Each structure stands twice: as structure tokens, then as C-alpha cells.
């Protein structure tokens, strides 16, 4: 399974081509649009979310809501393109207007300008923008539906917002049913403190990030491989999460905490009885051992850095004049950690679906389900 996205932040739209979905998967467009709405939600979001109201369109690969086995093409058109056509139209436009030369620290602006040989950061930021993730959420939701057909479910929540942390522990069912809408956190009082924290940052023209925890339930053992490093499941999933804009760290299970504990407090002891078969009483490995799923619930966390576009502007250089300047400030969020959560779920679904498809193959969903059913737990 392979996903390719294209499109610019202020271009005609964002697009995704999903190759390798078997024939016979019934798609739910309403769920795709619900996930796109979640990507635009969350306390601390900026003005762009009031302009766009993302809806996906399926352009190919589906008939009567069912996949045909051919590539599925998804489109999320930009309503704001009408306001940017004069500067962004591929058929011809005024590239001298809306230039960005006061490059923003923490963005791809300056490095991208040097790499691609342009004197306008607009040519870089339009693609580097997190707006690109609209296509990934749409495609990732297709993959979520593929995984769900096999009994595999994904959920997540916001564990930390800047300096405000939730130290509680929650099971999969709680995360699915009790996640709060404003920030995607689990605890009312912790979320209220996080919202106050975001309000204070907004007054100061500053931003914050956070930590998201993701869970995978129902995946059988043996996905991924210990035989080559490129097939290791944790390596593939961590790379997928790190590919999301603003993510600066990923951990599995205890993660960095494992380095601070003795071995007897880290490794999950193995037991056996006739009814349960092999089992573990702990899940510190986060469902992955030796680069393979071990049948336990998978637990991953990702750290999102603060949004680098600050309304008060950071110190930088104007690449036209080489003089000191304040960084350009396009519309910006104070906190987008709620959006990052559903984006990370989608990225996880996409990579996990690719791993599952690689092992199972199958031209139809009937074949895929039959093959998955024969695997050991």
C-alpha cells in the first residue's frame, strides 16, 4: 500500500492517491469528513480554520462507496484559493506579490530557499505548511477503515499541553468514549488549566506544543520483522509519526523512561496457561518487541514543538537586504496540539495499513480477512 499527497497551502487543493487498497472495502465518507473537521478543531486555533471548512471528494477508485482495487484519489479543495489565485495560479500569476523574504525561525523557509534555489520563501512554505496534512488525514481515514475491517482500532488523546501535564492512566475504551472536545484531553480540571495557559500565551503573542499518546488495539502478533532494520515495526511507525510537521520526538511504551529503570522493571515477563496461551501481565514494551507486534496493545507518544509562527515575531534576516528583521507572520495558531492528535492517528493508520497489507496481500477484502483470521494472536 502506498500513499502520495500533493498540493499547496493556498493552491487549488490538497490531493492524495492511495494505491493498494483491495477491492470490496466499503468506505464511509462521513467519517473522513468528521476526521477532517477534527483536524481543524481545538482550543487555540487561528483564523484559517474559519475560512476553510474541509470536505473530501473521492475522484477515482470507488464505485457505490466500495473500492474497486484501483488507486483511490481523494481531493480536499481550498476555498481560500479564490483569494490567492492572482498569486498562486499554475496557469500564470503575479509571483512578485505576496513574497516572503523575512524568513521564519523553526520553519522550512531559509533552508528550503537555499535548497531549491529560490528568492521567495512562498515557494517553500506553501508545501511545507501543515495544511498538507488535510490530504494525509483523508487518506489515513481510508486506512483506518481498512484496519477496522480486520478488528484493529486506533485511538489517542492529548497528554500534555505546554507546561500542563495529565499524569492519569486511561484504558482504550475510556480514550475512545471520554476524550474531551476542546483540547482532546481526558481530565476536565487539567484541560481547564491548559486552556488558561493557552489564553495567557495568546496575550503574549507566544505559542505552545504538547504530547500526544496513541493506542492500537486488536493487532495480532508478528507484524514487522526482526530480520532487516527497514522492516522493524517500531522504526516504521516512529518514522511515520516523525514525518508530521512539528513533531520532534517519538517513543514506544516506556520510551525514554526505560533508560532510567533497571531491567527487572522494564521487560515484560511471559507466562502461559492452556486457556489464555502465552500472556504478559505488563505492557512496558508498548506492544512491540524485536521490531514486531507482540499482540499486546500498542502505545506510542509523540512530542509536538510550539508553532514557530509567533504573532510577536522572532528575530531573523530579510533575505533581500540581509538586514535584521522580525519574522513574517502569516495567520497562525497559538496551539494546534488537538489537530496534531488526529493527524498523528491518521499517519499511524496509513503506515500500519501498509505493514498489514505487505504481510497479508490480497486482491479483495474477503481474501485479506481470511488470511488475517488464520494468523495466531
Amino acid at each position: 500500500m502506498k500513499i502520495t499527497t500533493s498540493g499547496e497551502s493556498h493552491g487549488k487543493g490538497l490531493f492524495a492517491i492511495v494505491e493498494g487498497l483491495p477491492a470490496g472495502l466499503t468506505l464511509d465518507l462521513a467519517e473522513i469528513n468528521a476526521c477532517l473537521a477534527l483536524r481543524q478543531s481545538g482550543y487555540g486555533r487561528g483564523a484559517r480554520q474559519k475560512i476553510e471548512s474541509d470536505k473530501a471528494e473521492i475522484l477515482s477508485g470507488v464505485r457505490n462507496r466500495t473500492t474497486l482495487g484501483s488507486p483511490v484519489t481523494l481531493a480536499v479543495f481550498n476555498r481560500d484559493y479564490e483569494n490567492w489565485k492572482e498569486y498562486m495560479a499554475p496557469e500564470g500569476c503575479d509571483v512578485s506579490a505576496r513574497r516572503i523574504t523575512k524568513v521564519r525561525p523553526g520553519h522550512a523557509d531559509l533552508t528550503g530557499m537555499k535548497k531549491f534555489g529560490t528568492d521567495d520563501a512562498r515557494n517553500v512554505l506553501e508545501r511545507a505548511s501543515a495544511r498538507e496534512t488535510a490530504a494525509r488525514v483523508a487518506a489515513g481515514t481510508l486506512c483506518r477503515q481498512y484496519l477496522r475491517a480486520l478488528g484493529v482500532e486506533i485511538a489517542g488523546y492529548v497528554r500534555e499541553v505546554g507546561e500542563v501535564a495529565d499524569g492519569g492512566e486511561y484504558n482504550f475504551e475510556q480514550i475512545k468514549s471520554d476524550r474531551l472536545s476542546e483540547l482532546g484531553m481526558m481530565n476536565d480540571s487539567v484541560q481547564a488549566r491548559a486552556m488558561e495557559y493557552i489564553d495567557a500565551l495568546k496575550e503574549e503573542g507566544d505559542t505552545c506544543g504538547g504530547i500526544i499518546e496513541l493506542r492500537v488495539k486488536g493487532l495480532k502478533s508478528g507484524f514487522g520483522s526482526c530480520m532487516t532494520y527497514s522492516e522493524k515495526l517500531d522504526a516504521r511507525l516512529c518514522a511515520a509519526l516523525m514525518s508530521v510537521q512539528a513533531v520532534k520526538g517519538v517513543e514506544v511504551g516506556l520510551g525514554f523512561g526505560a533508560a532510567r529503570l533497571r531491567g527487572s522493571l522494564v521487560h515484560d515477563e511471559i507466562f502461559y496457561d492452556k486457556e489464555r496461551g502465552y500472556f504478559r501481565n505488563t505492557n512496558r514494551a508498548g506492544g512491540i518487541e524485536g521490531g514486531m507486534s507482540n499482540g499486546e496493545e500498542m502505545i506510542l507518544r509523540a512530542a509536538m514543538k510550539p508553532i514557530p509562527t509567533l504573532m510577536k515575531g522572532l528575530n531573523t534576516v530579510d533575505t533581500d537586504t540581509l538586514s535584521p528583521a522580525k519574522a513574517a507572520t502569516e495567520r497562525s495558531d497559538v496551539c494546534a496540539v488537538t489537530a496534531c492528535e488526529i493527524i498523528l492517528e491518521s499517519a499511524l493508520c496509513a503506515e500500519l495499513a501498509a505493514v498489514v497489507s505487505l504481510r497479508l496481500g490480497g486482491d479483495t477484502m474477503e481474501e485479506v480477512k481470511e488470511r488475517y483470521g488464520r494468523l495466531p494472536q
Side-chain angles (χ1 to χ4, degrees):
M1 194 174 297
K2 177 184 175 183
I3 296 173
T4 303
T5 71
S6 65
E8 287 74 44
S9 179
H10 295 97
K12 294 182 180 182
L14 291 307
F15 308 92
I17 297 177
V18 184
E19 300 177 61
L21 276 174
L25 175 65
T26 300
L27 300 183
D28 183 352
L29 185 59
E31 183 181 26
I32 297 171
N33 289 331
C35 288
L36 286 171
L38 281 175
R39 197 198 71 88
Q40 295 186 282
S41 71
Y43 198 77
R45 300 304 304 278
R48 179 72 186 266
Q49 312 316 316
K50 298 175 183 177
I51 297 172
E52 303 289 358
S53 181
D54 289 339
K55 303 288 184 185
E57 292 187 30
I58 301 174
L59 303 184
S60 73
V62 177
R63 185 183 184 201
N64 191 30
R65 299 181 298 119
T66 304
T67 57
L68 303 174
S70 54
V72 176
T73 305
L74 296 161
V76 180
F77 291 104
N78 289 331
R79 291 175 59 192
D80 202 22
Y81 177 66
E82 287 304 312
N83 300 319
W84 284 81
K85 185 188 298 185
E86 182 180 350
Y87 321 108
M88 291 296 299
E91 299 86 358
C93 64
D94 181 5
V95 297
S96 67
R98 298 293 184 108
R99 290 179 67 237
I100 297 289
T101 60
K102 296 174 182 178
V103 290
R104 301 164 300 169
H107 277 278
D109 296 2
L110 180 58
T111 303
M113 288 173 73
K114 293 192 288 186
K115 176 178 174 65
F116 296 107
T118 178
D119 63 358
D120 182 4
R122 172 74 55 200
N123 293 345
V124 177
L125 67 86
E126 284 289 335
R127 181 59 185 165
S129 167
R131 177 82 184 131
E132 175 268 342
T133 60
R136 281 208 263 177
V137 168
T141 309
L142 290 190
C143 295
R144 182 193 299 270
Q145 294 172 7
Y146 167 83
L147 293 168
R148 185 184 295 135
L150 304 177
V152 181
E153 291 281 357
I154 290 86
Y157 71 100
V158 174
R159 192 177 178 91
E160 298 184 26
V161 175
E163 300 169 7
V164 181
D166 182 355
E169 295 299 329
Y170 308 99
N171 62 40
F172 190 91
E173 286 68 29
Q174 287 174 308
I175 295 170
K176 288 287 285 184
S177 62
D178 299 341
R179 187 174 68 186
L180 302 169
S181 60
E182 292 90 345
L183 275 171
M185 301 188 83
M186 296 294 297
N187 182 291
D188 280 300
S189 61
V190 175
Q191 180 170 270
R193 285 193 288 117
M195 291 167 70
E196 290 175 2
Y197 177 74
I198 291 169
D199 289 340
L201 290 176
K202 185 175 182 179
E203 288 295 316
E204 298 169 17
D206 219 327
T207 62
C208 69
I211 294 178
I212 294 104
E213 182 165 306
L214 303 168
R215 306 281 186 87
V216 179
K217 183 178 181 181
L219 185 69
K220 292 185 176 182
S221 64
F223 287 92
S225 180
C226 60
M227 296 305 181
T228 64
Y229 64 82
S230 63
E231 294 178 284
K232 288 180 179 290
L233 182 61
D234 40 3
R236 290 191 60 164
L237 298 184
C238 288
L241 299 183
M242 284 290 290
S243 75
V244 173
Q245 290 87 335
V247 172
K248 299 299 286 185
V250 179
E251 62 180 11
V252 180
L254 289 178
F256 281 94
R260 305 183 188 103
L261 299 172
R262 61 185 68 186
S264 59
L265 299 176
V266 171
H267 304 295
D268 302 306
E269 295 181 308
I270 301 170
F271 304 91
Y272 180 86
D273 70 30
K274 289 183 179 180
E275 289 190 7
R276 295 178 63 184
Y278 296 104
F279 67 94
R280 299 161 177 82
N281 288 325
T282 57
N283 186 23
R284 299 157 181 156
I288 302 176
E289 290 178 307
M292 300 170 288
S293 60
N294 64 9
E296 302 292 329
E297 187 173 297
M298 288 168 49
I299 305 170
L300 301 97
R301 293 177 206 89
M304 178 191 185
K305 71 179 181 180
I307 294 162
T309 302
L310 276 66
M311 296 312 293
K312 64 181 180 181
L314 294 172
N315 292 323
T316 189
V317 173
D318 187 322
T319 57
D320 271 356
T321 64
L322 302 183
S323 58
K326 288 293 183 181
T329 55
E330 302 244 320
R331 288 182 295 259
S332 181
D333 303 320
V334 177
C335 178
V337 70
T338 314
C340 190
E341 192 283 321
I342 190 62
I343 294 165
L344 289 170
E345 280 193 39
S346 302
L348 182 60
C349 288
E351 190 63 24
L352 202 53
V355 171
V356 170
S357 176
L358 181 65
R359 186 180 185 192
L360 298 180
D363 295 312
T364 69
M365 282 305 299
E366 185 178 350
E367 285 181 312
V368 174
K369 289 178 183 178
E370 191 275 330
R371 293 173 186 181
Y372 189 71
R374 287 193 276 111
L375 295 178
Q377 291 290 339

